[in-house]
Amino acid sequence: LTLPVGEVTTIYIAYRSGGSSQTSFSLKTAEDFAVHATTRVAKNFAYYGMMMFLAIAATIAFLATRQFVILASGAYALAALLFLMHADGNAFRYLWPGAPVFNSYASLFTGLGVIVCGANFARHFLQTRVYHPVFDALLLGVMGITALLVASALFVDAQLIKKGLVLM
């Protein structure tokens, strides 16, 4: 970036960490930055809307059919929605803006939801209790270990627990 001597400019920097060790970096004008931010928010909310639709449709389908597997799929979609909203920063911005302490731990709870709801959906969809009892026990074990990991955040550094949850 070359500026004439004495010229003043403003540089906007946006940084978002998704847990990776590197991130891309670019310089933009204020107008380009605004367009980029608006486009990103629009894409996020379109995706959020689709996930919310899946959760609502699953709830309605469950009420009509009473098949638990449908409700389990809706719970998994809702858990994934909350996890992604938290990762994007929009959960803190719109759902719990007055709770910054909770927000620093929210990935534990949203991650727990994704893992437990995903394993529960797999159990019911694949009927592992009937057809694959060993895998059913493994999925129950994953659910239980995940819950214990999150509960251990009361005594252990939450960042360490988050690393463990990635493995789950």
Side-chain angles (χ1 to χ4, degrees):
L1 180 64
T2 305
L3 297 172
V5 176
E7 183 174 328
V8 176
T9 188
T10 302
I11 298 175
Y12 296 93
I13 297 175
Y15 178 79
R16 183 180 75 85
S17 173
S20 64
S21 60
Q22 60 184 353
T23 187
S24 60
F25 185 82
S26 63
L27 295 176
K28 299 180 181 290
T29 65
E31 295 80 22
D32 288 340
F33 181 82
V35 168
H36 177 76
T38 302
T39 302
R40 183 179 179 95
V41 168
K43 286 179 183 178
N44 283 346
F45 278 86
Y47 182 76
Y48 300 161
M50 289 185 280
M51 295 296 285
M52 186 61 77
F53 174 76
L54 284 174
I56 292 170
T59 303
I60 293 168
F62 170 73
L63 292 173
T65 65
R66 299 290 185 213
Q67 293 184 23
F68 185 77
V69 67
I70 296 171
L71 189 61
S73 71
Y76 182 49
L78 188 60
L81 169 65
L82 287 173
F83 184 81
L84 292 173
M85 284 184 74
H86 174 66
D88 294 338
N90 288 317
F92 179 58
R93 185 174 183 185
Y94 296 108
L95 299 180
W96 50 79
V101 173
F102 171 75
N103 191 61
S104 64
Y105 292 94
S107 62
L108 291 174
F109 302 115
T110 58
L112 172 70
V114 168
I115 294 165
V116 169
C117 291
N120 191 47
F121 171 65
R123 289 182 64 239
H124 290 281
F125 182 75
L126 299 173
Q127 299 178 19
T128 56
R129 189 178 339 163
V130 175
Y131 298 112
H132 309 284
V134 172
F135 288 113
D136 191 62
L138 287 172
L139 288 170
L140 286 170
V142 165
M143 294 165 69
I145 290 169
T146 302
L148 288 173
L149 271 173
V150 171
S152 72
L154 292 169
F155 311 104
V156 180
D157 180 37
Q159 294 304 319
L160 182 62
I161 303 304
K162 291 175 186 180
K163 291 177 184 178
L165 288 179
V166 169
L167 299 174
M168 301 307 287

